[in-house]
Amino acid sequence: MTPEQTAPTPAHSGILELYEAHKQMVYRLALSYTKSPQDAEDVCQTAFLRLLEHRGEITPRKERQWLATVTANLCKSLLRSAWRRKTEPLDGLELPFDAPEENEVFQAVMSLKEEKRAVIYLYYYEGYSTAEVGQILGLKRSTVSTRLDRARKRLKTKLEADYAG
């Protein structure tokens, strides 16, 4: 992408300001309905997508109320859905691994900083090449290689400490 494509337009900057001003309210409202952080995040995202779609129809300075109404309606729809009634919450979900060592390695990877975790995940778990990882993350191939090298060293140190202690 070029810088022109990533820079917010005046219309988008207004949406970004509204998002920053109201995201906590929308999230907390959704959480109070759903009692699930994941569902609350989904509702929050959907509410702001609807705001983006209907921006011209909303009376200026009434966005907060509009968002609260939309959020409540989205939550009610979610709670009424047949799918929701037939599912169980995923509390305590554990990823299955063939060997305990795999879980320890995965946990070590998850403890890395996001920038290192992302390249490790894409390279080892998803099987992308360094060039492909660079394209996905918008990084130079050399940057991906450097992050992989540093992440490997950090993982080696962490895993050696875990096994020694």
Side-chain angles (χ1 to χ4, degrees):
M1 281 191 170
T2 64
E4 297 86 279
Q5 292 172 318
T6 58
T9 62
H12 287 118
S13 64
I15 294 294
L16 292 176
E17 290 171 6
L18 289 171
Y19 175 76
E20 287 301 321
H22 304 299
K23 67 183 176 182
Q24 290 300 319
M25 179 275 299
V26 171
Y27 177 79
R28 285 191 302 260
L29 178 60
L31 189 59
S32 72
Y33 272 96
T34 65
K35 298 182 184 174
S36 164
Q38 295 82 11
D39 288 342
E41 289 170 2
D42 289 345
V43 168
C44 188
Q45 181 179 9
T46 303
F48 281 101
L49 285 173
R50 295 239 176 118
L51 176 67
L52 189 59
E53 293 170 353
H54 299 281
R55 178 75 167 112
E57 304 166 19
I58 303 167
T59 306
R61 291 186 285 258
K62 296 290 184 180
E63 295 93 355
R64 182 176 178 85
Q65 180 183 359
W66 188 91
L67 279 166
T69 302
V70 168
T71 300
N73 289 338
L74 287 168
C75 290
K76 291 172 189 174
S77 293
L78 175 68
L79 294 172
R80 279 192 313 258
S81 73
W83 176 86
R84 169 85 178 202
R85 289 190 303 260
K86 293 179 182 179
T87 60
E88 293 291 325
L90 295 177
D91 296 336
L93 175 69
E94 302 226 2
L95 296 174
F97 291 98
D98 293 332
E101 302 83 34
E102 292 175 359
N103 186 36
E104 291 172 19
V105 171
F106 181 77
Q107 294 304 321
V109 169
M110 291 295 110
S111 72
L112 295 172
K113 289 184 180 180
E114 182 180 335
E115 63 186 27
K116 292 181 180 111
R117 186 175 63 235
V119 295
I120 288 285
Y121 178 78
L122 290 170
Y123 186 79
Y124 287 106
Y125 288 88
E126 296 298 327
Y128 289 109
S129 69
T130 54
E132 291 169 325
V133 172
Q135 288 176 336
I136 292 167
L137 299 176
L139 302 170
K140 293 180 184 176
R141 186 178 185 172
S142 61
T143 304
V144 171
S145 296
T146 300
R147 288 183 182 179
L148 275 172
D149 185 54
R150 290 178 181 166
R152 287 182 194 120
K153 288 176 183 173
R154 173 87 56 182
L155 286 171
K156 181 180 178 186
T157 302
K158 178 157 181 47
L159 291 170
E160 284 175 347
D162 288 349
Y163 282 110

